[in-house]
C-alpha cells in the first residue's frame, strides 16, 4: 500500500492489509534471513543448507524454502537421478533481496559494540531503579 507524504509516494508496510508486508515478513523471518544469506555464497543441497544454517529444523527449513520459492526468491532444482538430488539457489529477485539482507547483517556486525554499550547503559539504569 502506498501513501503520499509531502508529494512523495511511500510504501507503508505497517498496514496489516499491505501486500508488501507479507513479502517482508517472509524475507525477514528468523530462518528466511539466514537462508538467503547462505544462498548468496552458492547453491546448496537440502542437507548442506540445513548444516550451513545452524539450528534450523528440517520442518522449518522445508517450510521456509517453500515460502521463498513461492515468492520467486529461491529456485528448487530437482534432478531425476537415484538417489534424488535437489539443489536450492537464489533467483535474480532472491539475489537482490539477499544482498539487501546481507548489507543489514554487515551493519549489525559493524555496530555491535554500540549496541552492547547501549544495552549496558540500559541494564545499569534499569538495575538501579529496581
Amino acid at each position: 500500500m502506498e501513501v503520499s507524504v509531502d508529494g512523495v509516494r511511500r510504501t507503508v508496510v505497517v498496514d496489516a492489509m499491505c501486500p508488501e508486508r507479507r513479502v517482508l515478513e517472509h524475507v525477514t523471518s528468523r530462518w528466511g534471513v539466514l537462508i538467503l544469506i547462505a544462498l548468496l555464497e552458492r547453491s546448496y543441497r537440502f542437507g548442506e543448507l540445513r548444516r550451513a544454517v545452524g539450528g534450523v529444523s528440517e520442518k522449518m527449513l522445508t517450510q521456509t524454502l517453500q515460502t521463498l520459492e513461492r515468492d520467486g526468491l529461491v529456485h528448487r532444482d530437482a534432478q531425476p537421478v537415484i538417489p534424488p538430488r535437489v539443489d536450492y539457489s537464489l533467483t535474480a529477485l532472491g539475489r537482490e533481496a539477499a544482498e539487501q539482507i546481507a548489507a543489514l547483517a554487515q551493519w549489525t556486525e559493524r555496530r555491535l559494540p554500540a549496541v552492547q554499550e547501549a544495552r549496558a547503559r540500559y541494564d545499569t539504569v534499569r538495575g538501579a531503579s529496581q
Side-chain angles (χ1 to χ4, degrees):
M1 177 174 148
E2 290 186 354
V3 296
S4 181
V5 178
D6 299 328
V8 177
R9 296 184 62 81
R10 296 196 173 114
T11 301
V12 182
V13 294
V14 294
D15 185 316
M17 300 306 292
C18 179
E20 293 90 350
R21 181 174 174 165
R22 295 294 295 156
V23 176
L24 185 64
E25 288 172 355
H26 298 162
V27 169
T28 61
S29 71
R30 177 180 184 182
W31 301 117
V33 165
L34 300 174
I35 289 167
L36 290 171
I37 289 173
L39 289 174
L40 259 177
E41 297 173 14
R42 62 181 178 89
S43 64
Y44 281 93
R45 293 179 72 176
F46 186 87
E48 292 176 316
L49 187 56
R50 185 166 178 217
R51 286 187 295 279
V53 179
V56 65
S57 69
E58 188 172 317
K59 177 183 176 182
M60 285 309 303
L61 180 57
T62 298
Q63 287 177 350
T64 306
L65 284 168
Q66 287 173 344
T67 299
L68 295 173
E69 182 182 7
R70 182 171 184 256
D71 286 347
L73 305 174
V74 169
H75 174 70
R76 180 181 185 273
D77 183 26
Q79 300 292 322
V81 295
I82 297 177
R85 179 183 173 103
V86 179
D87 291 297
Y88 295 91
S89 60
L90 293 174
T91 63
L93 188 62
R95 178 159 298 283
E96 184 180 345
E99 287 169 351
Q100 298 297 314
I101 295 296
L104 179 59
Q106 290 167 355
W107 174 86
T108 304
E109 289 174 8
R110 281 192 321 272
R111 300 304 290 160
L112 182 60
V115 171
Q116 290 171 325
E117 289 173 19
R119 287 177 178 171
R121 282 191 308 275
Y122 177 91
D123 292 345
T124 299
V125 170
R126 292 290 176 162
S129 66
Q130 292 181 357

